[in-house]
Structures are given as structure tokens and as C-alpha cells.
Amino acid sequence: QMIAREYPDDVKMVLQVHDELIFESTLPQKELIPHLKNIADLMEAAGRSVGVVTPAKCEVVKKSWDKGVELSL
């Protein structure tokens, strides 16, 4: 819900599978990186709030899921 309020048109969460969140965006990758950093920070903060270390990693996939590129945020 926090993400939906902050990025209503640019970034949409389309799927959650266990501890993985899948987003879709129309932004160019260069403009998307700050948003991904913010989302990763929110995910890590949620873990910290219950005393669990939860490092978040991000990947950008343009066409095929097996061709994802991990980003260093």
C-alpha cells in the first residue's frame, strides 16, 4: 500500500511470491533505480521492525525472466 501511494503511475507491484515482489514500470532504467532503492529500503526496514535482518536485492528484467540483471543499489 505504501508503494501504491508513492508510485501510483510509474511503478506497480504485480505479484508477490513468498519473499519476492515483482514490479512493472514504464520508467527508463536510469530513472527507475532511485525508486528501486527506496523499495529495497522499505523492505529491509520492515524486517528490522520485527528484529529480522532482510537484505533486499533488485533485478531488472526487460524481456525474459531468465535474462535478469542484478542491480547494485
Side-chain angles (χ1 to χ4, degrees), residues 1-3 9 11-13 15 17 19 26 28-30 34 47 50 52 57 61 66-69:
Q1 291 174 348
M2 290 169 36
I3 293 166
D9 297 322
V11 180
K12 296 186 186 303
M13 187 169 75
L15 183 65
V17 180
D19 63 346
T26 57
Q29 184 171 333
K30 191 180 240 183
V50 294
V52 178
K57 294 189 285 182
V61 177
D66 67 339
K67 305 273 191 265
V69 176

Side-chain angles (χ1 to χ4, degrees), residues 18-56:
H18 303 291
D19 63 346
E20 188 170 331
L21 305 178
I22 311 295
F23 293 88
E24 188 173 79
S25 178
T26 57
L27 294 174
Q29 184 171 333
K30 191 180 240 183
E31 292 178 34
L32 184 60
I33 289 176
H35 298 299
L36 293 176
K37 174 72 172 130
N38 189 34
I39 291 167
D41 289 345
L42 288 170
M43 292 174 67
E44 290 175 353
R48 281 192 307 275
S49 72
V50 294
V52 178
V53 176
T54 53

